[in-house]
Amino acid sequence: MNLPALTDSMQRPRGVPALLAALGLTMTAAVGCSASAETGEAEDTTVRVALVDAAPPSLPLLAEKNGDFADHGIDVTISSHPSTRITSFATSLGWEYDIVWGTPADVIAAASQGHDITVIAGAYVDSDERQQGQMYAAESGTVDSPTDLRGKRMAVPSLSGTLFLAVLTSLNRVGVDVDDVQLVEVPFSGMLGELDSGRVDAVATVQPYMGAVQAAGHRSLGDPFLSIDSPAVAGMWIAEREWAEKNPETVSSFVAALDSADWWASSHEQEARAFLSSALEMPRKMAATAPLPDWDTSISPEALTPWIEAVAASGQIHGTLPKAEDLVAAPRKD
């Protein structure tokens, strides 16, 4: 990641939010140096975070550069991980990383494989107003709706994971058997070329690539994430259960810092775009048109239940699926 320093105009605004941040610093600094109320042991206020270089999990980057983590009394180190699949690095939780970003399908898969993880916060949501995913049909083709995908060739980024699960669910909802659609793996960056050339009839993509596909005149077939739920939690922050239970104040401080960064971004959208464009090495034109993710740290078992049901219906995971209430960390009782 290439993380530039923020200019003076990009610093967190002062006023009431600054006062709240100052109060948060006072409280978290006090608990960070003292024993946890639950365990009686000193909490670990040094936090190692892993995320992928994409807009949805990028809020910690803003929090780091704005000083929100320091304001809340924790020392955060952020690492870039090449995979969105929790199952590929869940074993590193508690050893190499403390908190990682993940997508619903992969979090469910990791838990079903026996990794003792817990969801400590939401990352972002997908909604009618701020859609982060979309299926498109070739402008010159004959596909006008998802039901027309029978016998057609559709590009997806992988044959597993959250977007793939959402596509399967979308097809199932309109009565299309997935076996009647040829799903092929194509990276997001190559989908527009495949669609333009006619090598595929449709694609399933996400922001920020959606803008270029739509600008080329290809037809929207709908947001597959919304076939799961509306709005749908589409990303979340995960920790090893034992670590989270031993460090409840640190977890709360991490989430509070993300909320502070989210508040800042909502009132400094252009500055946030410029920073993320550079930090994530996104093309400037792409970053200028793609909407910022709808970051939201709230999470509940009810938000994960539709995803677990979708995984069960897809048959992608064999074995016992986790219960939603067992995946989501219980809220602190102040």
Side-chain angles (χ1 to χ4, degrees):
M1 290 179 289
N2 177 25
L3 304 182
L6 293 182
T7 64
D8 290 341
S9 64
M10 294 168 68
Q11 299 301 317
R12 185 177 55 262
R14 300 299 173 185
V16 173
L19 175 60
L20 293 176
L23 290 173
L25 172 60
T26 301
M27 292 184 290
T28 54
V31 298
C33 297
S34 62
S36 165
E38 294 183 13
T39 66
E41 299 178 359
E43 291 206 16
D44 185 1
T45 57
T46 300
V47 184
R48 301 158 299 174
V49 176
L51 49 76
V52 296
D53 291 339
S58 62
L59 195 55
L61 301 181
L62 287 174
E64 179 185 51
K65 300 306 290 185
N66 276 357
D68 293 307
F69 291 128
D71 282 355
H72 287 84
I74 55 176
D75 179 16
V76 173
T77 300
I78 300 175
S79 299
S80 174
H81 199 281
S83 174
T84 62
R85 302 197 64 180
I86 291 260
T87 51
S88 69
F89 59 101
T91 52
S92 297
L93 276 171
W95 295 94
E96 187 176 358
Y97 309 120
D98 300 306
I99 297 174
V100 298
W101 180 82
T103 58
D106 289 322
V107 169
I108 294 166
S112 71
Q113 292 176 13
H115 296 292
D116 195 15
I117 56 178
T118 184
V119 179
I120 63 169
Y124 78 107
V125 297
D126 188 275
S127 63
D128 285 319
E129 295 75 20
R130 299 178 72 174
Q131 297 184 12
Q132 295 293 313
Q134 201 74 206
M135 299 184 294
Y136 289 98
E139 184 271 336
S140 59
T142 59
V143 176
D144 294 316
S145 71
T147 57
D148 297 327
L149 288 170
R150 293 185 181 91
K152 303 298 184 181
R153 185 177 172 89
M154 183 177 191
V156 292
S158 70
L159 299 179
S160 63
T162 294
L163 182 56
F164 182 68
L165 175 63
V167 169
L168 296 187
T169 304
S170 295
L171 295 173
N172 181 61
R173 291 283 172 87
V174 296
V176 175
D177 192 318
V178 66
D179 291 334
D180 292 335
V181 182
Q182 186 179 359
L183 297 171
V184 295
E185 290 186 272
V186 176
F188 289 125
S189 58
M191 286 185 180
L192 178 56
E194 294 291 293
L195 203 54
D196 285 341
S197 67
R199 287 189 288 269
V200 298
D201 302 288
V203 301
T205 188
V206 295
Q207 295 288 10
Y209 301 95
M210 287 164 50
V213 178
Q214 186 168 341
H218 300 298
R219 298 191 298 274
S220 171
L221 300 178
D223 182 344
F225 291 126
L226 298 181
S227 68
I228 305 289
D229 200 11
S230 181
V233 58
M236 53 200 67
W237 296 102
I238 318 301
E240 182 190 38
R241 188 180 305 276
E242 182 180 1
W243 181 88
E245 291 176 348
K246 287 182 176 179
N247 298 281
E249 296 288 352
T250 298
V251 169
S252 294
S253 294
F254 176 79
V255 176
L258 296 187
D259 288 337
S260 295
D262 185 15
W263 185 92
W264 177 86
S266 67
S267 56
H268 296 75
E269 186 171 333
Q270 294 307 313
E271 291 96 328
R273 285 177 184 277
F275 169 71
L276 293 178
S277 174
S278 179
L280 302 175
E281 299 181 349
M282 294 168 55
R284 190 174 299 274
K285 184 177 180 181
M286 184 181 292
T289 56
L292 290 176
D294 189 2
W295 291 306
D296 187 349
T297 60
S298 63
I299 192 68
S300 68
E302 290 75 20
L304 277 181
T305 297
W307 287 102
I308 294 174
E309 292 173 347
V311 169
S314 73
Q316 284 187 288
I317 297 178
H318 303 287
T320 303
L321 292 175
K323 296 180 180 179
E325 57 269 25
D326 294 335
L327 268 182
V328 178
R332 286 184 54 223
K333 296 179 180 179
D334 296 324

